[in-house]
Short mmCIF file of all heavy atoms in Angstrom, two decimals:
data_model
loop_
_atom_site.label_atom_id
_atom_site.label_comp_id
_atom_site.label_asym_id
_atom_site.label_seq_id
_atom_site.Cartn_x
_atom_site.Cartn_y
_atom_site.Cartn_z
N LEU A 118 -4.79 7.17 2.88
CA LEU A 118 -5.54 6.01 3.41
C LEU A 118 -4.60 4.87 3.81
O LEU A 118 -4.78 4.29 4.91
CB LEU A 118 -6.53 5.57 2.28
CG LEU A 118 -7.59 4.54 2.61
CD1 LEU A 118 -8.39 4.89 3.84
CD2 LEU A 118 -8.49 4.37 1.36
N PRO A 196 -3.71 -8.58 -1.84
CA PRO A 196 -4.35 -7.68 -2.82
C PRO A 196 -3.33 -6.99 -3.73
O PRO A 196 -3.77 -6.30 -4.66
CB PRO A 196 -5.07 -6.67 -1.92
CG PRO A 196 -4.26 -6.61 -0.70
CD PRO A 196 -3.75 -8.02 -0.45
N ALA A 209 -2.75 -2.57 5.32
CA ALA A 209 -2.91 -1.23 4.74
C ALA A 209 -3.38 -1.34 3.28
O ALA A 209 -4.28 -0.59 2.88
CB ALA A 209 -1.62 -0.44 4.85
N GLU A 210 -2.82 -2.26 2.56
CA GLU A 210 -3.21 -2.38 1.14
C GLU A 210 -4.63 -2.97 1.02
O GLU A 210 -5.41 -2.47 0.16
CB GLU A 210 -2.24 -3.33 0.40
CG GLU A 210 -0.92 -2.68 0.08
CD GLU A 210 -1.02 -1.67 -1.04
OE1 GLU A 210 -0.90 -2.03 -2.24
OE2 GLU A 210 -1.26 -0.46 -0.73
N LEU A 211 -4.97 -3.96 1.84
CA LEU A 211 -6.31 -4.55 1.71
C LEU A 211 -7.37 -3.50 2.01
O LEU A 211 -8.34 -3.37 1.25
CB LEU A 211 -6.44 -5.72 2.66
CG LEU A 211 -7.78 -6.51 2.53
CD1 LEU A 211 -7.87 -7.19 1.18
CD2 LEU A 211 -7.89 -7.54 3.68
N LEU A 212 -7.23 -2.77 3.07
CA LEU A 212 -8.21 -1.76 3.48
C LEU A 212 -8.29 -0.66 2.38
O LEU A 212 -9.37 -0.24 1.97
CB LEU A 212 -7.89 -1.16 4.83
CG LEU A 212 -8.88 -0.10 5.44
CD1 LEU A 212 -8.71 1.26 4.85
CD2 LEU A 212 -10.34 -0.63 5.35
N THR A 213 -7.10 -0.21 1.93
CA THR A 213 -7.06 0.90 0.96
C THR A 213 -7.73 0.51 -0.36
O THR A 213 -8.54 1.25 -0.91
CB THR A 213 -5.60 1.32 0.72
OG1 THR A 213 -5.05 1.79 1.98
CG2 THR A 213 -5.57 2.48 -0.24
N ILE A 214 -7.37 -0.63 -0.91
CA ILE A 214 -7.91 -1.05 -2.18
C ILE A 214 -9.44 -1.33 -2.04
O ILE A 214 -10.23 -1.00 -2.94
CB ILE A 214 -7.14 -2.27 -2.76
CG1 ILE A 214 -5.71 -1.84 -3.10
CG2 ILE A 214 -7.84 -2.82 -4.03
CD1 ILE A 214 -4.78 -2.97 -3.47
N TYR A 215 -9.83 -1.94 -0.95
CA TYR A 215 -11.27 -2.14 -0.67
C TYR A 215 -11.97 -0.80 -0.64
O TYR A 215 -13.05 -0.62 -1.26
CB TYR A 215 -11.46 -2.89 0.63
CG TYR A 215 -12.91 -2.90 1.10
CD1 TYR A 215 -13.81 -3.76 0.52
CD2 TYR A 215 -13.37 -1.98 2.04
CE1 TYR A 215 -15.16 -3.73 0.91
CE2 TYR A 215 -14.70 -1.95 2.44
CZ TYR A 215 -15.59 -2.83 1.87
OH TYR A 215 -16.90 -2.80 2.26
N HIS A 216 -11.46 0.15 0.11
CA HIS A 216 -12.14 1.47 0.24
C HIS A 216 -12.21 2.20 -1.09
O HIS A 216 -13.27 2.78 -1.42
CB HIS A 216 -11.38 2.30 1.28
CG HIS A 216 -12.11 3.54 1.68
ND1 HIS A 216 -13.20 3.52 2.58
CD2 HIS A 216 -11.98 4.85 1.40
CE1 HIS A 216 -13.67 4.75 2.75
NE2 HIS A 216 -12.92 5.56 2.04
N MET A 217 -11.14 2.20 -1.82
CA MET A 217 -11.10 2.87 -3.14
C MET A 217 -12.14 2.26 -4.06
O MET A 217 -12.83 3.02 -4.78
CB MET A 217 -9.72 2.78 -3.76
CG MET A 217 -8.61 3.51 -3.00
SD MET A 217 -8.81 5.29 -2.84
CE MET A 217 -8.70 5.85 -4.51
N THR A 218 -12.24 0.93 -4.10
CA THR A 218 -13.12 0.32 -5.08
C THR A 218 -14.56 0.24 -4.62
O THR A 218 -15.48 0.57 -5.40
CB THR A 218 -12.63 -1.11 -5.41
OG1 THR A 218 -12.50 -1.85 -4.21
CG2 THR A 218 -11.27 -1.06 -6.10
N THR A 219 -14.78 -0.18 -3.37
CA THR A 219 -16.13 -0.43 -2.92
C THR A 219 -16.80 0.82 -2.40
O THR A 219 -17.99 1.05 -2.68
CB THR A 219 -16.12 -1.49 -1.81
OG1 THR A 219 -15.43 -2.65 -2.30
CG2 THR A 219 -17.55 -1.92 -1.44
N ARG A 220 -16.08 1.65 -1.64
CA ARG A 220 -16.68 2.84 -1.05
C ARG A 220 -16.59 4.07 -1.94
O ARG A 220 -17.52 4.87 -1.99
CB ARG A 220 -16.02 3.12 0.30
CG ARG A 220 -16.17 1.92 1.31
CD ARG A 220 -17.60 1.67 1.66
NE ARG A 220 -17.74 0.44 2.46
CZ ARG A 220 -18.46 0.38 3.59
NH1 ARG A 220 -19.04 1.48 4.08
NH2 ARG A 220 -18.61 -0.78 4.22
N LEU A 221 -15.47 4.21 -2.64
CA LEU A 221 -15.28 5.39 -3.52
C LEU A 221 -15.56 5.08 -4.99
O LEU A 221 -15.44 5.95 -5.84
CB LEU A 221 -13.86 5.96 -3.36
CG LEU A 221 -13.48 6.40 -1.92
CD1 LEU A 221 -12.10 7.04 -1.91
CD2 LEU A 221 -14.53 7.34 -1.34
N LYS A 222 -15.93 3.82 -5.25
CA LYS A 222 -16.39 3.41 -6.58
C LYS A 222 -15.34 3.63 -7.69
O LYS A 222 -15.66 4.01 -8.82
CB LYS A 222 -17.68 4.09 -6.97
CG LYS A 222 -18.79 4.01 -5.92
CD LYS A 222 -19.20 2.58 -5.64
CE LYS A 222 -20.37 2.47 -4.66
NZ LYS A 222 -20.62 1.07 -4.25
N MET A 242 -10.04 -7.33 -6.15
CA MET A 242 -11.35 -7.42 -5.54
C MET A 242 -12.25 -8.43 -6.24
O MET A 242 -13.36 -8.64 -5.81
CB MET A 242 -12.00 -6.05 -5.52
CG MET A 242 -11.40 -5.08 -4.54
SD MET A 242 -11.47 -5.67 -2.82
CE MET A 242 -9.79 -5.56 -2.32
N LEU A 251 -12.62 -9.86 3.38
CA LEU A 251 -13.18 -8.53 3.45
C LEU A 251 -14.13 -8.36 4.66
O LEU A 251 -14.33 -7.23 5.14
CB LEU A 251 -13.93 -8.17 2.17
CG LEU A 251 -13.05 -8.14 0.93
CD1 LEU A 251 -13.88 -7.76 -0.33
CD2 LEU A 251 -11.86 -7.20 1.08
N LEU A 254 -13.04 -6.24 7.62
CA LEU A 254 -12.96 -4.74 7.51
C LEU A 254 -14.15 -4.01 8.07
O LEU A 254 -14.16 -2.78 8.08
CB LEU A 254 -12.71 -4.37 6.06
CG LEU A 254 -11.50 -5.03 5.35
CD1 LEU A 254 -11.40 -4.55 3.91
CD2 LEU A 254 -10.20 -4.78 6.13
N ALA A 255 -15.15 -4.74 8.50
CA ALA A 255 -16.40 -4.11 8.98
C ALA A 255 -16.15 -3.10 10.10
O ALA A 255 -16.81 -2.02 10.16
CB ALA A 255 -17.40 -5.18 9.40
N PHE A 257 -13.92 -0.99 10.52
CA PHE A 257 -13.50 0.34 10.05
C PHE A 257 -14.69 1.27 9.78
O PHE A 257 -14.52 2.48 9.64
CB PHE A 257 -12.68 0.22 8.80
CG PHE A 257 -11.29 -0.39 9.04
CD1 PHE A 257 -11.07 -1.74 8.93
CD2 PHE A 257 -10.23 0.43 9.39
CE1 PHE A 257 -9.81 -2.30 9.11
CE2 PHE A 257 -9.02 -0.09 9.64
CZ PHE A 257 -8.75 -1.44 9.47
N TYR A 258 -15.85 0.68 9.60
CA TYR A 258 -16.99 1.48 9.10
C TYR A 258 -18.10 1.62 10.13
O TYR A 258 -19.19 2.16 9.82
CB TYR A 258 -17.53 0.83 7.80
CG TYR A 258 -16.48 0.87 6.75
CD1 TYR A 258 -15.62 -0.20 6.51
CD2 TYR A 258 -16.27 2.03 5.98
CE1 TYR A 258 -14.63 -0.13 5.54
CE2 TYR A 258 -15.30 2.11 5.03
CZ TYR A 258 -14.46 1.00 4.79
OH TYR A 258 -13.46 1.09 3.87
#
Side-chain angles (χ1 to χ4, degrees):
L118 189 51
E210 284 288 272
L211 185 65
L212 184 282
T213 300
I214 295 172
Y215 168 79
H216 190 76
M217 295 297 296
T218 55
T219 306
R220 302 295 172 131
L221 301 185
K222 308 300 183 189
M242 289 300 127
L251 299 181
L254 304 181
F257 289 94
Y258 297 95

